[in-house]
Amino acid sequence: MIVSVLIPTYNSGRYIGRAIRSVLEAASRVSEVEILVIDDGSTDDTLRILEPFASQIKLLRHSSNCGLPSALNTGIRNARGQFVVRVDSDDFVHEEYLNILTTSLRLNNSYDAVCCDYFLVDGKQNAVEIVNSMEQPIGCGIMFRHHHLVEIGLYNETMRVCEEVELRDRFLSEYQIIRIPIPLYKYCKRDDSLSSDREVTSAYREKINSCR
């Protein structure tokens, strides 16, 4: 198995079909891909939306909502790929997303992880900005070597937001991330997302800074 794509989801029935369809299109350009959808105790119609994809994904379920870092760790522990990449359930990707990231790691053994730039997408799916992924990193659009994530101890499950910042800090203390300046990821910024709660985000960022 070459690459494992993790799609964590919680009450994202409105968006997740689009995310999976885009990943399936990208997966058609790579020889070996597994798609792990981790349902973190959804109470909406997410599971119904997933039914048509049953033969194309591996569904992992939490009986209750444990938080995004826990869902991601469940995915990593069950992943069989040499490489692991995350796609959030309300985002979508370019058809060459997996091909370019996977090829970069396969052909460069010195690369520990590779990230791509991303489009910032509005509520109408319009790309409004191309963002440099090193200047403004997000948790997605970055492919890791699986064993490196295991070695650093996976995600910190106490970080309900900013989990990607804390993980990235620990990863960069041991390894390097190489940037591919091509916008292959489409990041949808929603006003109702937890990361949009500035007070909560600020508190978690202070927690991270106190550990630096």
Side-chain angles (χ1 to χ4, degrees):
M1 186 62 61
I2 297 297
V3 59
S4 299
V5 183
L6 310 184
I7 307 180
T9 181
Y10 174 68
N11 287 351
S12 57
R14 181 179 174 186
Y15 311 99
I16 194 167
R18 179 185 65 188
I20 293 175
R21 286 190 296 272
S22 75
V23 171
L24 288 170
E25 177 65 23
S28 70
R29 288 160 169 75
V30 181
S31 59
E32 295 180 84
V33 179
E34 65 172 1
I35 301 171
L36 306 180
V37 177
I38 309 97
D39 178 65
D40 192 30
S42 293
T43 57
D44 68 348
D45 62 347
T46 293
L47 295 179
R48 180 181 62 80
I49 299 298
L50 293 175
E51 288 176 2
F53 302 105
S55 64
Q56 298 164 294
I57 66 172
K58 180 177 181 180
L59 177 61
L60 305 170
R61 295 185 63 193
H62 289 174
S63 58
S64 60
N65 181 243
C66 301
L68 178 56
S70 178
L72 290 167
N73 285 345
T74 293
I76 295 168
R77 292 186 183 105
N78 284 274
R80 296 177 294 156
Q82 296 169 263
F83 311 136
V84 175
V85 67
R86 164 183 164 188
V87 175
D88 280 355
S89 57
D90 53 354
D91 297 336
F92 51 112
V93 301
H94 188 275
E95 60 191 21
E96 294 294 340
Y97 175 67
L98 296 179
N99 183 31
I100 292 176
L101 296 184
T102 302
T103 300
S104 298
L105 285 180
R106 289 182 65 189
L107 297 182
N108 297 277
N109 290 329
S110 62
Y111 288 8
D112 303 312
V114 292
C115 64
C116 63
D117 288 350
Y118 58 93
F119 286 107
L120 189 62
V121 177
D122 65 18
K124 296 181 180 179
Q125 300 186 31
N126 298 313
V128 296
E129 183 183 356
I130 296 176
V131 184
N132 182 315
S133 59
M134 294 299 262
E135 294 177 354
Q136 298 182 53
I138 55 174
C140 306
I142 176 168
M143 184 176 286
F144 298 94
R145 295 189 187 275
H146 189 179
H147 65 279
H148 287 339
L149 290 177
V150 174
E151 286 167 0
I152 67 169
L154 309 185
Y155 284 87
N156 181 340
E157 296 188 8
T158 69
M159 303 296 296
R160 295 295 288 237
V161 296
C162 300
E163 77 294 328
E164 76 284 0
V165 180
E166 196 274 340
L167 178 86
R168 194 183 184 98
D169 279 357
R170 283 187 288 119
F171 190 89
L172 287 173
S173 70
E174 301 286 339
Y175 307 110
Q176 292 185 10
I177 299 172
I178 305 299
R179 172 184 170 234
I180 299 173
I182 306 173
L184 300 171
Y185 194 89
K186 297 181 181 180
Y187 178 60
C188 302
K189 189 68 173 175
R190 290 177 18 232
D191 291 338
D192 61 342
S193 66
L194 185 59
S195 60
S196 295
D197 187 326
R198 294 182 179 179
E199 236 178 77
V200 174
T201 301
S202 177
Y204 275 92
R205 287 194 181 277
E206 286 182 14
K207 182 176 180 179
I208 292 170
N209 290 334
S210 69
C211 297
R212 284 174 169 165

